[in-house]
Amino acid sequence: MIAKWLIKENSYYDSVTLMLVTKEIEARDDVENAVVVMGTDLNKDLLNNVGLLNDEIRKTTANDLIIAVKMKEDKFDEIVAKVEELLSKKTSEVGEDYTPPTLDSAIKHMPDSNMVVISLPGAYAADEAKKALENDKHVMLFSDNVTIEQERELKELAVSKGLLMMGPDCGTAMINQVPLCFCNKVRKGNIGIVGASGTGTQEIMVQIDRFGGGCSQVIGTGGRDLKKEIGGMMMTLGIQALAADPNTEVIVLVSKPPAYEIAEKVLKTLKESGKKAVVNFIGGDDELVRKYGFIAANSLEDAAYKAVALAKGEEPKDAPLFEESEEMIDKMVADERAKMSPDQKYLRGLFSGGTLCDEALKLFTKEFGGIYSNIALTDEYQLKDNKNSYKHTALDLGDDEFTVGRPHPMIDSYTRQQMILKEAEDQEVAVLLMDVVLGYGSNEDPAGSLADHIKLAKKKFADRGQYLSVVAYVCGTKEDPQNYEQQIEKLKDAGVILMPSNAQAVRFAMKVVRGL
Amino acid sequence: MITTKLHGTIKALKVGERVGYLLNNTDSKLKIHSIFDHAVNFIDRNDWIITLLPESYCIGPQGIILDHKEFSKFKSMELNVMDLWDFSELLSIEEAEVVSRKPLDNSIPIDMFRVKANKEYFHKLLNQSGNKNGMLGKTSIYRKYAEPILEEFSNLFIDRKYKEAGQKLFELVGLGPGLTPSGDDFIIGVMASFKFCGMKKETFADLTELIINKAKSKTNIISFNILRQGALGGFLEWIEDMALSVIHGNYEDIEKAFKNMLKIGSSSGSDISAGILFGIEEAMNLS
């Protein structure tokens, strides 16, 4: 083990910079221990305890910054270069950059801004959103835990001012090609989306890109917008905004099935827009959609497929069930099943995206009659204990009870890692089904963070003379910051079967467990 | 060393209550001690620091708040550490609002049931949203170092051995990460809560005396200034609001105050909050 240190005499850096430096160093695999502290006597005692004290550090004063690192191999020059970059970055920004600490000061600092993104604990979020609307700013409210009464009040205010009030709990939007919160990088195009579901919207964006289309605007509404209490206020306003946008030629709507009268209101507004449209009320009333003359989609992928056709001036057809030929899929399924033991029967879905899980539940229920879940479609299939799977189960790990005290599973894979290992203890499991969501806001390396646990789970099955089939879908584009190809490779390397859409991954998993 | 003068006077919006006293007792020439994105520290010959901050930042007894455009203008000038500035040329504080410390009103009785419930709520918020890099992180080396010290402090304090207790808590000065070490932040929180719990001065007089006379050699000069302010009974507005909200406020007050606390430094707001919580617990145990 090699110990190295850097001393910055009489140097003061703000705590946030020091924390960034610490995190940067600690994130390296080759670093065993890193301490970034001022040279107080007490801190020197602690450095001594971890074997990082030496004569040079001993001579420092409380006004000197010490960066001491214990590492496996000497890559300190690399570390110093990065540290210097972080430290000087802040210094070089002095006098040029201003990070306003409050909304008031932000508005004062940038009076011409027209949108505010709010991500605060729910208890504070509504007040700030109201303040932004009162200042004539559009709002994207990422926070949840805002009451439905507050949501209604905010949206009424927004509508009265002709402003977008995206959210609460709005995770995905792209306004004028600027991705906001969780969002994939997709081609620019003529398809506008209004979505009441975060990962559902992401999936449609990604699939539009895959089919060669592009997006003009993506407007989020928050998951409760189509409830009776809210009345689809933001979906209606979103449609009107896209109707007025000359770059949008096709509109896609996506949400869970709304109440009939709300669906009618939304479709009526869509009709008034005069634009071509595809509607995916996931598992909802397709007849009503057709009655208004629009195209109904049977999956998120199908919505994208049809929207791209419309955008190209082609006749929309149903998306193929699989990208691969039926023969190839059957062969893959047979190969997977051949390796399993007779007691392996069940599918276990571990989703980070709520809408992707919901789509899986609906596709599965259509074929199998039902599947257990923490977000079950009916009370009959609601898990008694959401942390313990039962028979065929699909879990939305982004649901509140799994995220208490932890970031969302699209950011932090810990919960899903633990669930993978837990499912590996169950000898009756046949297939693990997962989504891996890329894009801005998501984990920097989601596939990498899951691969080792998948390998471990597969090993546990192999040790018992069994075989675990793992099927996944990577919701991302080649332009996403995570490097799409590398993510795919990491999963393939872990023995995962990859499908090009969520719907196809679900269908493949269903084929594997059918008749087991 | 150079002397620089501004062509024009910057009008301060707010000044901390100690600023006037400090400027009257110096020859008005102060050196730039340190420069941050949103703060410039000036230091006088006796190591008292005066901090210039942009609008909407929190102010303490030694702070001066400027309109953010004035602050940006000032920051855009060539500023160098050790440069000498003439404050009489630089600033006008005549029209500025003087921010005084919150008065301690012993006539308001402390409702112990309310404090107990508030304390629990504050604890929950702190666990949920507090930064765990300093005193809050259960596995951090700093917390491990501090735990036995705090336990001994509690034992001494409940036995009313205030001198020894003060010495014990003083052992945390200079401990931990951050520009203001976590241990310093924690002590600030304890002192604030003692003040607003209406603790008699004798209970922490030894601690404050140690801080004023001996903390300078145990921590850096910026943190020492903040500790010394605290020992003299002066705290950042947000710290006062936090302590008062737990002692006299309701859940809404606590949430509002805690939201501001989280804006202080990286882990400092959380470490100060941990100190406030600890201090209130000790004060309650004693009473």
Side-chain angles (χ1 to χ4, degrees):
Chain A
M1 204 58 65
I2 300 156
K4 292 269 175 154
W5 59 95
L6 173 70
I7 294 165
K8 296 258 176 194
E9 285 180 22
N10 279 313
S11 294
Y12 305 95
Y13 298 94
D14 66 75
S15 295
V16 177
T17 305
L18 296 180
M19 183 197 68
L20 288 175
V21 168
T22 309
K23 288 201 163 172
E24 176 69 33
I25 302 173
E26 283 178 344
R28 296 176 63 100
D29 291 339
D30 50 353
V31 168
E32 190 205 286
N33 208 341
V35 180
V36 180
V37 288
M38 303 303 284
T40 64
D41 290 344
L42 221 47
N43 284 336
K44 283 186 266 188
D45 278 355
L46 288 174
L47 283 164
N48 192 24
N49 291 345
V50 293
L52 281 167
L53 188 67
N54 57 50
D55 285 346
E56 207 176 325
I57 292 178
R58 212 170 266 125
K59 284 180 203 158
T60 59
T61 74
N63 296 306
D64 302 331
L65 174 66
I66 302 167
I67 299 169
V69 182
K70 211 190 261 184
M71 59 203 141
K72 289 173 196 155
E73 47 185 316
D74 189 357
K75 288 194 178 164
F76 196 60
D77 288 349
E78 240 175 61
I79 294 173
V80 169
K82 188 70 198 171
V83 165
E84 293 285 7
E85 186 190 318
L86 285 169
L87 295 178
S88 62
K89 192 178 167 196
K90 295 301 282 188
T91 314
S92 68
E93 283 170 0
V94 165
E96 294 159 16
D97 192 24
Y98 172 63
T99 307
T102 65
L103 182 58
D104 288 334
S105 53
I107 290 171
K108 207 168 171 185
H109 186 63
M110 290 180 70
D112 297 333
S113 60
N114 64 357
M115 174 168 280
V116 174
V117 179
I118 297 170
S119 174
L120 282 169
Y124 316 115
D127 286 348
E128 297 298 311
K130 191 175 176 192
K131 206 186 289 174
L133 291 169
E134 282 167 347
N135 279 281
D136 298 322
K137 313 289 179 195
H138 298 286
V139 171
M140 178 175 187
L141 184 51
F142 182 72
S143 318
D144 54 6
N145 290 320
V146 172
T147 66
I148 201 151
E149 292 78 18
Q150 286 173 317
E151 178 173 348
R152 183 172 179 84
E153 190 190 333
L154 289 170
K155 286 188 170 169
E156 280 172 346
L157 176 61
V159 169
S160 72
K161 288 176 158 255
L163 295 167
L164 289 174
M165 170 64 231
M166 301 189 284
D169 205 10
C170 178
T172 301
M174 186 187 75
I175 305 297
N176 297 336
Q177 302 301 310
V178 178
L180 299 168
C181 299
F182 291 112
C183 191
N184 300 89
K185 190 164 184 188
V186 296
R187 205 176 289 116
K188 191 175 176 181
N190 57 357
I191 303 172
I193 304 173
V194 190
S197 69
T199 45
T201 306
Q202 280 188 273
E203 169 70 333
I204 292 178
M205 290 174 77
V206 164
Q207 294 299 330
I208 286 173
D209 192 87
R210 177 177 152 234
F211 294 127
C215 294
S216 53
Q217 309 282 349
V218 177
I219 297 170
T221 66
R224 294 186 305 211
D225 191 69
L226 295 177
K227 283 187 178 286
K228 276 186 187 169
E229 295 91 326
I230 308 297
M233 275 190 269
M234 229 14 72
M235 185 153 282
T236 309
L237 198 68
I239 293 166
Q240 288 164 345
L242 292 182
D245 175 22
N247 296 322
T248 301
E249 291 173 23
V250 176
I251 297 175
V252 179
L253 300 189
V254 55
S255 88
K256 289 182 183 172
Y260 189 85
E261 63 268 34
I262 308 296
E264 280 215 304
K265 179 183 164 191
V266 166
L267 291 169
K268 203 173 156 209
T269 310
L270 194 56
K271 191 86 184 162
E272 287 162 5
S273 77
K275 299 211 172 176
K276 293 177 276 187
V278 178
V279 179
N280 187 13
F281 290 146
I282 307 162
D285 187 350
D286 289 351
E287 278 314 308
L288 183 66
V289 174
R290 290 192 196 101
K291 189 181 121 186
Y292 277 84
F294 300 115
I295 314 285
N298 57 48
S299 69
L300 299 163
E301 180 188 19
D302 189 48
Y305 191 73
K306 287 169 174 162
V308 172
L310 283 179
K312 287 178 178 170
E314 297 167 2
E315 187 64 28
K317 294 176 190 160
D318 285 350
L321 293 181
F322 288 102
E323 188 179 55
E324 293 287 353
S325 67
E326 208 171 311
E327 293 76 25
M328 174 60 84
I329 292 292
D330 287 344
K331 186 183 175 306
M332 287 165 73
V333 169
D335 286 349
E336 291 295 283
R337 288 173 62 132
K339 291 178 264 185
M340 290 175 186
S341 68
D343 47 350
Q344 290 186 260
K345 287 180 259 191
Y346 297 125
L347 178 145
R348 298 288 157 82
L350 300 175
F351 286 88
S352 61
T355 311
L356 300 181
C357 182
D358 187 56
E359 182 177 58
L361 297 181
K362 282 166 182 160
L363 290 170
F364 196 94
T365 300
K366 218 171 173 181
E367 296 246 347
F368 287 74
I371 178 167
Y372 290 89
S373 178
N374 58 329
I375 56 161
L377 301 181
T378 60
D379 289 346
E380 185 191 349
Y381 284 95
Q382 186 66 41
L383 282 171
K384 282 182 184 143
D385 174 1
N386 289 337
K387 287 181 179 163
N388 283 311
S389 302
Y390 178 67
K391 295 189 175 176
H392 294 303
T393 295
L395 294 172
D396 170 13
L397 298 177
D399 204 32
D400 290 349
E401 71 181 287
F402 288 103
T403 55
V404 175
R406 299 208 74 83
H408 192 278
M410 275 159 59
I411 302 169
D412 179 348
S413 299
Y414 177 81
T415 306
R416 190 144 61 158
Q417 290 166 346
Q418 301 312 306
M419 292 303 290
I420 291 170
L421 298 181
K422 192 169 179 188
E423 297 296 356
E425 299 299 329
D426 187 343
Q427 301 185 18
E428 292 189 316
V429 173
V431 181
L432 275 190
L433 173 63
M434 282 186 275
D435 59 347
V436 176
V437 183
L438 310 185
Y440 296 103
S442 290
N443 186 301
E444 284 177 5
D445 180 16
S449 69
L450 296 171
D452 286 346
H453 291 77
I454 292 170
K455 284 180 192 167
L456 263 176
K458 277 182 169 277
K459 188 175 178 304
K460 280 194 178 180
F461 275 78
D463 291 346
R464 295 196 295 257
Q466 295 185 301
Y467 172 76
L468 175 67
S469 176
V470 182
V471 181
Y473 160 56
V474 177
C475 178
T477 72
K478 289 181 180 169
E479 298 301 315
D480 278 331
Q482 287 89 349
N483 192 329
Y484 181 82
E485 281 89 357
Q486 277 178 17
Q487 293 294 301
I488 295 283
E489 280 313 308
K490 284 180 183 180
L491 292 170
K492 277 187 180 166
D493 180 56
V496 176
I497 292 179
L498 288 154
M499 289 286 131
S501 73
N502 187 58
Q504 291 191 41
V506 178
R507 286 190 203 108
F508 185 88
M510 289 194 301
K511 269 181 174 280
V512 176
V513 295
R514 186 176 291 129
L516 283 176
Chain B
M1 199 180 292
I2 54 165
T3 303
T4 317
K5 288 186 179 180
L6 262 187
H7 300 293
T9 305
I10 295 176
K11 283 186 181 172
L13 291 179
K14 290 180 185 179
V15 294
E17 63 176 5
R18 202 167 177 83
V19 169
Y21 171 82
L22 289 175
L23 290 178
N24 284 335
N25 286 280
T26 179
D27 60 3
S28 82
K29 290 188 178 61
L30 282 87
K31 267 192 291 187
I32 293 184
H33 172 267
S34 42
I35 305 165
F36 303 101
D37 277 5
H38 308 304
V40 179
N41 286 326
F42 290 83
I43 192 162
D44 76 2
R45 281 175 301 184
N46 299 314
D47 287 338
W48 287 92
I49 283 178
I50 292 179
T51 306
L52 289 195
L53 298 149
E55 197 180 351
S56 76
Y57 268 79
C58 172
I59 190 172
Q62 293 167 224
I64 299 176
I65 296 278
L66 305 180
D67 173 275
H68 75 87
K69 279 187 183 154
E70 294 278 32
F71 185 79
S72 297
K73 197 169 79 185
F74 174 61
K75 284 291 297 290
S76 67
M77 302 183 74
E78 198 179 321
L79 303 178
N80 295 299
V81 170
M82 299 300 284
D83 280 0
L84 200 61
W85 286 73
D86 188 336
F87 257 56
S88 61
E89 298 279 338
L90 173 67
L91 272 172
S92 161
I93 62 170
E94 283 76 24
E95 290 171 33
E97 176 195 345
V98 179
V99 180
S100 303
R101 68 183 74 182
K102 299 261 188 316
L104 179 59
D105 187 353
N106 282 325
S107 66
I108 305 170
I110 294 176
D111 176 346
M112 296 300 269
F113 290 104
R114 176 196 288 263
V115 177
K116 189 168 180 290
N118 282 352
K119 198 166 62 68
E120 279 166 15
Y121 187 65
F122 181 34
H123 193 190
K124 193 177 122 194
L125 283 183
L126 195 52
N127 274 344
Q128 274 174 357
S129 312
N131 184 314
K132 313 281 192 298
N133 288 328
M135 297 291 278
L136 284 176
K138 284 186 179 160
T139 55
S140 89
I141 50 172
Y142 313 111
R143 165 77 176 255
K144 281 182 185 165
Y145 187 95
E147 264 174 358
I149 292 174
L150 294 177
E151 202 180 318
E152 281 184 63
F153 170 85
S154 295
N155 293 335
L156 292 164
F157 199 66
I158 198 79
D159 289 341
R160 291 175 161 68
K161 292 177 179 169
Y162 301 131
K163 185 172 182 176
E164 292 84 346
Q167 285 166 348
K168 194 42 76 181
L169 200 60
F170 185 69
E171 286 181 19
L172 294 181
V173 175
L175 171 71
L179 175 65
T180 53
S182 295
D184 298 14
D185 292 330
F186 187 87
I187 293 173
I188 288 286
V190 175
M191 289 194 294
S193 58
F194 279 6
K195 173 182 168 181
F196 290 107
C197 281
M199 301 280 282
K200 287 179 185 166
K201 277 192 178 166
E202 68 196 46
T203 53
F204 57 106
D206 292 288
L207 174 66
T208 55
E209 195 184 320
L210 279 169
I211 285 170
I212 292 166
N213 297 320
K214 294 191 174 167
K216 192 172 162 185
S217 64
K218 283 174 66 84
T219 190
N220 66 66
I221 201 72
I222 296 173
S223 197
F224 168 61
N225 262 266
I226 298 168
L227 275 172
R228 181 168 54 183
Q229 281 176 20
L232 294 169
F235 302 92
L236 288 176
E237 282 174 294
W238 289 342
I239 298 173
E240 296 193 328
D241 291 343
M242 187 74 255
L244 280 168
S245 71
V246 182
I247 297 163
H248 292 295
N250 55 34
Y251 289 177
E252 204 178 318
D253 299 328
I254 294 169
E255 282 176 10
K256 203 171 154 196
F258 186 55
K259 181 180 155 193
N260 283 331
M261 289 299 286
L262 292 179
K263 293 180 200 162
I264 303 176
S266 169
S267 64
S268 289
S270 301
D271 290 329
I272 297 166
S273 296
I276 290 173
L277 188 65
F278 178 83
I280 292 174
E281 269 169 359
E282 294 301 311
M284 282 180 72
N285 289 341
L286 200 65
S287 58

